[in-house]
Protein backbone atom coordinates (compact mmCIF):
# COMPACT_ATOMS: atom_id res chain seq x y z
CA UNK A 1 0.00 0.00 0.00
CA UNK A 2 2.79 2.38 0.89
CA UNK A 3 4.56 1.81 -2.41
CA UNK A 4 2.21 4.13 -4.26
CA UNK A 5 2.82 6.94 -1.81
CA UNK A 6 6.60 6.53 -2.14
CA UNK A 7 6.51 6.98 -5.87
CA UNK A 8 4.15 9.96 -5.66
CA UNK A 9 6.40 11.77 -3.20
CA UNK A 10 9.52 10.96 -5.23
CA UNK A 11 7.85 12.27 -8.36
CA UNK A 12 6.73 15.48 -6.65
CA UNK A 13 10.24 16.11 -5.40
CA UNK A 14 11.73 15.36 -8.83
CA UNK A 15 9.52 17.93 -10.49
CA UNK A 16 10.16 20.49 -7.74
CA UNK A 17 13.91 19.98 -7.93
CA UNK A 18 14.24 20.08 -11.69
CA UNK A 19 11.92 23.05 -12.00
CA UNK A 20 13.61 25.12 -9.32
CA UNK A 21 16.76 25.42 -11.39
CA UNK A 22 14.87 27.16 -14.14
CA UNK A 23 14.86 30.89 -13.08
CA UNK A 24 18.62 30.77 -12.53
CA UNK A 25 20.17 29.07 -15.57
CA UNK A 26 23.74 29.37 -14.25
CA UNK A 27 26.85 31.04 -15.61
CA UNK A 28 27.46 28.73 -18.56
CA UNK A 29 23.98 28.89 -20.01
CA UNK A 30 23.26 32.59 -19.70
CA UNK A 31 25.24 33.51 -22.78
CA UNK A 32 22.01 33.44 -24.73
CA UNK A 33 18.92 35.66 -24.44
CA UNK A 34 17.99 36.54 -20.90
CA UNK A 35 14.64 37.05 -19.32
CA UNK A 36 11.68 35.53 -21.10
CA UNK A 37 13.70 33.67 -23.75
CA UNK A 38 16.15 32.21 -21.23
CA UNK A 39 13.37 31.13 -18.93
CA UNK A 40 11.41 29.43 -21.67
CA UNK A 41 14.52 27.55 -22.80
CA UNK A 42 15.16 26.48 -19.20
CA UNK A 43 11.61 25.23 -18.90
CA UNK A 44 11.89 23.21 -22.09
CA UNK A 45 15.11 21.67 -20.86
CA UNK A 46 13.56 20.66 -17.54
CA UNK A 47 10.66 19.06 -19.36
CA UNK A 48 12.98 17.07 -21.60
CA UNK A 49 15.12 16.05 -18.63
CA UNK A 50 12.02 14.74 -16.86
CA UNK A 51 10.89 13.00 -20.01
CA UNK A 52 14.34 11.48 -20.44
CA UNK A 53 14.23 10.09 -16.92
CA UNK A 54 10.83 8.60 -17.60
CA UNK A 55 12.18 7.12 -20.83
CA UNK A 56 15.00 5.26 -19.08
CA UNK A 57 12.62 3.93 -16.43
CA UNK A 58 10.22 2.88 -19.15
CA UNK A 59 12.97 0.97 -20.94
CA UNK A 60 13.75 -1.00 -17.79
CA UNK A 61 10.04 -1.57 -17.11
CA UNK A 62 9.55 -2.79 -20.68
CA UNK A 63 12.19 -5.41 -19.99
CA UNK A 64 11.01 -6.44 -16.55
CA UNK A 65 7.24 -6.53 -16.78
CA UNK A 66 6.48 -8.69 -19.83
CA UNK A 67 8.76 -11.40 -18.52
CA UNK A 68 6.31 -14.21 -18.20
CA UNK A 69 3.78 -13.06 -20.77
CA UNK A 70 4.02 -14.57 -24.19
CA UNK A 71 5.24 -12.66 -27.17
CA UNK A 72 2.98 -9.89 -28.44
CA UNK A 73 1.29 -10.51 -31.70
CA UNK A 74 0.55 -6.98 -32.84
CA UNK A 75 0.67 -3.31 -31.89
CA UNK A 76 -2.74 -3.25 -30.28
CA UNK A 77 -1.63 -6.02 -27.92
CA UNK A 78 1.31 -3.90 -26.85
CA UNK A 79 -0.94 -0.91 -26.19
CA UNK A 80 -3.36 -3.06 -24.22
CA UNK A 81 -0.42 -4.35 -22.20
CA UNK A 82 0.54 -0.74 -21.52
CA UNK A 83 -2.94 0.15 -20.36
CA UNK A 84 -3.38 -2.85 -18.15
CA UNK A 85 -0.11 -4.20 -16.84
CA UNK A 86 2.21 -1.20 -16.89
CA UNK A 87 -0.37 1.20 -15.51
CA UNK A 88 -1.36 -1.29 -12.81
CA UNK A 89 2.26 -1.83 -11.85
CA UNK A 90 3.10 1.85 -11.61
CA UNK A 91 -0.19 3.45 -10.52
CA UNK A 92 -2.10 0.50 -9.05
CA UNK A 93 -4.99 1.02 -11.40
CA UNK A 94 -5.71 0.38 -15.05
CA UNK A 95 -6.14 2.95 -17.77
CA UNK A 96 -9.77 3.91 -18.15
CA UNK A 97 -10.07 3.97 -21.90
CA UNK A 98 -8.04 3.30 -25.02
CA UNK A 99 -9.10 4.62 -28.39
CA UNK A 100 -7.44 4.35 -31.74
CA UNK A 101 -7.94 5.49 -35.26
CA UNK A 102 -6.18 2.35 -36.54
CA UNK A 103 -3.76 4.58 -38.40
CA UNK A 104 -1.13 4.57 -35.71
CA UNK A 105 -2.60 7.07 -33.24
CA UNK A 106 -3.82 5.91 -29.85
CA UNK A 107 -5.46 7.99 -27.15
CA UNK A 108 -5.18 6.65 -23.63
CA UNK A 109 -7.52 8.25 -21.19
CA UNK A 110 -7.28 8.18 -17.44
CA UNK A 111 -10.19 9.71 -15.55
CA UNK A 112 -8.38 10.10 -12.27
CA UNK A 113 -4.65 10.15 -12.79
CA UNK A 114 -2.97 9.34 -9.44
CA UNK A 115 -0.25 11.95 -9.82
CA UNK A 116 -2.82 14.71 -10.35
CA UNK A 117 -5.54 13.62 -8.03
CA UNK A 118 -3.93 15.23 -4.97
CA UNK A 119 -3.75 18.60 -6.65
CA UNK A 120 -7.20 19.75 -7.50
CA UNK A 121 -10.45 18.70 -9.11
CA UNK A 122 -11.42 21.00 -11.89
CA UNK A 123 -9.65 23.78 -13.71
CA UNK A 124 -7.36 25.04 -11.00
CA UNK A 125 -3.58 24.68 -11.64
CA UNK A 126 -4.14 23.86 -15.31
CA UNK A 127 -1.03 25.80 -16.40
CA UNK A 128 1.21 23.99 -13.94
CA UNK A 129 0.17 20.54 -15.02
CA UNK A 130 2.50 19.79 -18.02
CA UNK A 131 5.55 19.33 -15.86
CA UNK A 132 3.80 16.71 -13.80
CA UNK A 133 3.00 14.68 -16.90
CA UNK A 134 6.43 14.77 -18.56
CA UNK A 135 7.82 11.84 -16.60
CA UNK A 136 4.83 9.65 -17.41
CA UNK A 137 5.02 10.51 -21.11
CA UNK A 138 8.64 9.44 -21.07
CA UNK A 139 7.69 6.26 -19.24
CA UNK A 140 5.20 5.31 -21.95
CA UNK A 141 7.67 6.15 -24.71
CA UNK A 142 10.44 4.12 -23.05
CA UNK A 143 8.31 1.03 -22.56
CA UNK A 144 7.12 1.21 -26.16
CA UNK A 145 10.66 1.58 -27.40
CA UNK A 146 11.87 -1.54 -25.58
CA UNK A 147 8.99 -3.45 -27.07
CA UNK A 148 10.05 -2.33 -30.52
CA UNK A 149 7.71 0.57 -31.22
CA UNK A 150 9.03 4.05 -31.94
CA UNK A 151 6.54 6.62 -30.84
CA UNK A 152 5.82 10.15 -29.75
CA UNK A 153 3.83 10.60 -26.58
CA UNK A 154 2.12 13.82 -25.55
CA UNK A 155 -0.27 14.50 -22.73
CA UNK A 156 -3.15 16.90 -22.40
CA UNK A 157 -5.42 17.83 -19.56
CA UNK A 158 -8.86 19.32 -19.97
CA UNK A 159 -9.86 19.23 -16.32
CA UNK A 160 -7.94 17.74 -13.42
CA UNK A 161 -7.59 14.92 -12.56
CA UNK A 162 -8.59 13.41 -15.91
CA UNK A 163 -5.86 13.38 -18.52
CA UNK A 164 -5.24 12.01 -21.97
CA UNK A 165 -2.04 10.58 -23.35
CA UNK A 166 -1.72 10.59 -27.08
CA UNK A 167 0.62 8.04 -28.62
CA UNK A 168 1.58 8.51 -32.25
CA UNK A 169 3.51 5.62 -33.75
CA UNK A 170 6.36 6.72 -35.96
CA UNK A 171 6.71 4.51 -38.91
CA UNK A 172 9.95 4.96 -40.80
CA UNK B 1 26.65 -26.94 -19.04
CA UNK B 2 27.05 -24.45 -21.82
CA UNK B 3 30.13 -24.00 -23.91
CA UNK B 4 29.23 -20.56 -25.21
CA UNK B 5 26.63 -18.00 -24.18
CA UNK B 6 25.67 -14.95 -26.21
CA UNK B 7 23.22 -12.08 -25.72
CA UNK B 8 22.25 -10.36 -28.94
CA UNK B 9 20.44 -7.06 -29.21
CA UNK B 10 17.38 -6.26 -31.25
CA UNK B 11 19.51 -4.84 -34.05
CA UNK B 12 21.49 -8.09 -34.22
CA UNK B 13 24.75 -6.94 -32.70
CA UNK B 14 26.22 -8.79 -29.71
CA UNK B 15 25.78 -7.32 -26.27
CA UNK B 16 27.65 -10.09 -24.54
CA UNK B 17 29.41 -13.13 -25.83
CA UNK B 18 31.56 -15.53 -23.90
CA UNK B 19 32.85 -18.98 -24.63
CA UNK B 20 34.80 -21.32 -22.45
CA UNK B 21 37.64 -22.91 -24.42
CA UNK B 22 39.06 -19.55 -25.23
CA UNK B 23 41.33 -20.70 -28.07
CA UNK B 24 38.56 -21.33 -30.55
CA UNK B 25 36.51 -18.23 -29.83
CA UNK B 26 36.12 -17.28 -33.46
CA UNK B 27 34.41 -20.57 -34.27
CA UNK B 28 31.80 -19.96 -31.60
CA UNK B 29 31.28 -16.39 -32.70
CA UNK B 30 30.66 -17.68 -36.19
CA UNK B 31 28.20 -20.31 -34.96
CA UNK B 32 26.26 -17.73 -33.00
CA UNK B 33 26.19 -15.47 -36.02
CA UNK B 34 24.78 -18.17 -38.28
CA UNK B 35 22.23 -19.16 -35.67
CA UNK B 36 20.77 -15.64 -35.85
CA UNK B 37 19.33 -16.50 -39.25
CA UNK B 38 17.56 -19.51 -37.79
CA UNK B 39 16.23 -17.39 -34.94
CA UNK B 40 14.81 -14.84 -37.37
CA UNK B 41 13.22 -17.63 -39.37
CA UNK B 42 11.55 -19.04 -36.27
CA UNK B 43 10.28 -15.64 -35.19
CA UNK B 44 8.73 -14.89 -38.55
CA UNK B 45 7.27 -18.40 -38.75
CA UNK B 46 5.60 -17.84 -35.38
CA UNK B 47 4.14 -14.61 -36.60
CA UNK B 48 2.56 -16.10 -39.70
CA UNK B 49 1.10 -19.25 -38.15
CA UNK B 50 -1.96 -18.28 -36.16
CA UNK B 51 -0.76 -20.02 -33.04
CA UNK B 52 -2.40 -19.01 -29.81
CA UNK B 53 0.66 -19.42 -27.70
CA UNK B 54 3.80 -17.63 -28.69
CA UNK B 55 6.61 -19.02 -26.64
CA UNK B 56 9.77 -17.22 -25.73
CA UNK B 57 11.87 -20.37 -25.73
CA UNK B 58 12.76 -21.33 -29.29
CA UNK B 59 14.28 -24.69 -28.63
CA UNK B 60 17.01 -26.43 -30.57
CA UNK B 61 18.02 -24.17 -33.43
CA UNK B 62 20.30 -26.51 -35.28
CA UNK B 63 22.64 -29.35 -34.40
CA UNK B 64 26.17 -29.71 -35.71
CA UNK B 65 28.37 -32.74 -35.29
CA UNK B 66 30.00 -31.46 -32.10
CA UNK B 67 27.54 -28.95 -30.71
CA UNK B 68 23.89 -28.12 -30.31
CA UNK B 69 22.62 -24.55 -30.41
CA UNK B 70 19.57 -23.38 -28.45
CA UNK B 71 17.75 -20.08 -28.74
CA UNK B 72 15.43 -17.86 -26.70
CA UNK B 73 13.88 -14.54 -27.60
CA UNK B 74 12.48 -11.97 -25.20
CA UNK B 75 9.57 -9.64 -25.72
CA UNK B 76 12.00 -6.84 -26.47
CA UNK B 77 13.50 -8.90 -29.30
CA UNK B 78 16.74 -9.50 -27.42
CA UNK B 79 18.01 -12.95 -28.29
CA UNK B 80 19.89 -15.37 -26.10
CA UNK B 81 21.90 -18.07 -27.85
CA UNK B 82 23.50 -20.97 -26.05
CA UNK B 83 25.90 -23.52 -27.50
CA UNK B 84 26.07 -26.84 -25.72
CA UNK B 85 28.37 -29.82 -26.11
CA UNK B 86 26.54 -32.47 -28.12
CA UNK B 87 28.23 -35.30 -26.26
CA UNK B 88 26.51 -34.19 -23.10
CA UNK B 89 23.32 -36.14 -23.65
CA UNK B 90 22.21 -35.88 -20.04
CA UNK B 91 21.13 -32.28 -20.59
CA UNK B 92 17.33 -32.15 -20.67
CA UNK B 93 15.08 -29.59 -22.27
CA UNK B 94 13.94 -28.46 -18.82
CA UNK B 95 17.46 -27.70 -17.78
CA UNK B 96 18.05 -25.62 -20.87
CA UNK B 97 14.81 -23.76 -20.19
CA UNK B 98 15.83 -23.03 -16.63
CA UNK B 99 19.24 -21.80 -17.80
CA UNK B 100 17.54 -19.43 -20.21
CA UNK B 101 15.22 -18.25 -17.48
CA UNK B 102 18.20 -17.45 -15.26
CA UNK B 103 19.82 -15.60 -18.15
CA UNK B 104 16.65 -13.62 -18.73
CA UNK B 105 16.40 -12.67 -15.06
CA UNK B 106 20.01 -11.54 -14.95
CA UNK B 107 19.60 -9.57 -18.15
CA UNK B 108 16.55 -7.82 -16.71
CA UNK B 109 18.58 -6.90 -13.64
CA UNK B 110 21.31 -5.44 -15.83
CA UNK B 111 18.71 -3.43 -17.73
CA UNK B 112 17.31 -2.00 -14.50
CA UNK B 113 20.76 -0.92 -13.36
CA UNK B 114 20.83 2.89 -13.71
CA UNK B 115 24.52 2.81 -14.55
CA UNK B 116 23.88 0.69 -17.59
CA UNK B 117 22.98 2.41 -20.86
CA UNK B 118 20.66 0.29 -22.96
CA UNK B 119 22.42 -0.66 -26.16
CA UNK B 120 25.89 -0.81 -24.69
CA UNK B 121 27.94 -3.95 -24.30
CA UNK B 122 27.43 -5.66 -20.95
CA UNK B 123 30.92 -5.21 -19.63
CA UNK B 124 30.90 -4.09 -16.07
CA UNK B 125 28.25 -6.26 -14.48
CA UNK B 126 29.92 -8.67 -12.13
CA UNK B 127 26.65 -10.32 -11.17
CA UNK B 128 25.90 -11.13 -14.80
CA UNK B 129 29.42 -12.49 -15.34
CA UNK B 130 29.12 -14.61 -12.21
CA UNK B 131 25.82 -16.06 -13.34
CA UNK B 132 27.19 -16.93 -16.78
CA UNK B 133 30.29 -18.53 -15.24
CA UNK B 134 28.08 -20.74 -13.13
CA UNK B 135 26.39 -21.96 -16.30
CA UNK B 136 29.50 -22.64 -18.30
CA UNK B 137 31.29 -25.91 -18.45
CA UNK B 138 34.12 -26.28 -15.97
CA UNK B 139 37.39 -26.55 -17.86
CA UNK B 140 40.54 -26.88 -15.81
Amino acid sequence: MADAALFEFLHTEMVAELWAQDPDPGPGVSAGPRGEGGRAAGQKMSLSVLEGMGFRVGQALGERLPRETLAFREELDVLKFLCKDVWAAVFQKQMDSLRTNHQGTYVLQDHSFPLLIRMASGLQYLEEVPKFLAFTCGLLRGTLSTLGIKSLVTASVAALPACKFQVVIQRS
Amino acid sequence: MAVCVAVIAKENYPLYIRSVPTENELKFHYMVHTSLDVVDEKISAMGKALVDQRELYLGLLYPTEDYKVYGYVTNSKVKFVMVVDASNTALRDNEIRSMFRKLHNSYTDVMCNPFYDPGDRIQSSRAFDGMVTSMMIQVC
Side-chain angles (χ1 to χ4, degrees), chain A residues 151-163:
Chain A
S151 59
L152 201 62
V153 181
T154 49
S156 65
V157 176
L160 282 76
C163 65

Side-chain angles (χ1 to χ4, degrees), chain A residues 56 59-64 66-74 145-149, chain B residues 10 50-56 74-76 104-105 107-109 111-113 116 118:
Chain A
R56 179 70 184 92
Q59 280 183 316
L61 259 187
E63 197 62 55
R64 174 151 260 164
R67 220 176 9 211
E68 293 308 319
T69 56
L70 307 161
F72 296 120
R73 206 115 42 102
E74 42 162 62
S145 117
T146 320
L147 296 170
I149 301 182
Chain B
K10 198 166 26 172
L50 292 171
V51 187
D52 277 338
Q53 306 276 59
R54 282 187 72 183
E55 277 240 10
L56 300 177
T74 69
N75 263 315
S76 50
H104 195 173
N105 288 345
Y107 174 72
T108 313
D109 288 338
M111 201 43 172
C112 293
N113 184 356
Y116 169 72

Side-chain angles (χ1 to χ4, degrees), chain B:
Chain B
M1 292 292 122
V3 169
C4 166
V5 170
V7 177
I8 298 171
K10 198 166 26 172
E11 293 86 6
N12 285 337
Y13 63 88
L15 289 174
Y16 184 87
I17 178 163
R18 204 164 113 198
S19 44
V20 162
T22 38
E23 323 80 52
N24 260 351
E25 254 190 8
L26 203 56
K27 179 177 77 176
F28 290 121
H29 287 213
Y30 179 65
M31 276 173 79
V32 169
H33 192 252
T34 49
S35 67
L36 285 181
D37 278 331
V38 187
V39 171
D40 277 337
E41 206 183 286
K42 288 218 177 206
I43 298 181
S44 57
M46 271 202 299
K48 296 213 185 81
L50 292 171
V51 187
D52 277 338
Q53 306 276 59
R54 282 187 72 183
E55 277 240 10
L56 300 177
Y57 174 66
L58 298 173
L60 183 65
L61 295 178
Y62 69 92
T64 64
E65 65 286 357
D66 284 331
Y67 300 104
K68 290 198 271 210
V69 184
Y70 291 91
Y72 180 101
V73 103
T74 69
N75 263 315
S76 50
K77 299 290 169 283
V78 166
K79 308 160 184 81
F80 300 132
V81 175
M82 204 183 312
V83 181
V84 188
D85 217 345
S87 52
N88 196 348
T89 46
L91 219 49
R92 293 224 152 65
D93 205 43
N94 274 340
E95 290 176 17
I96 309 270
R97 276 182 204 258
S98 70
M99 298 213 294
F100 273 127
R101 208 167 317 138
K102 272 200 292 189
L103 247 186
H104 195 173
N105 288 345
S106 290
Y107 174 72
T108 313
D109 288 338
V110 166
M111 201 43 172
C112 293
N113 184 356
F115 296 112
Y116 169 72
D117 230 342
D120 285 350
R121 301 203 60 157
I122 304 179
Q123 279 164 329
S124 45
S125 171
R126 267 184 258 169
F128 193 75
D129 275 335
M131 191 263 334
V132 174
T133 318
S134 74
M135 284 204 306
M136 302 274 238
I137 212 168
Q138 315 298 326
V139 175
C140 41

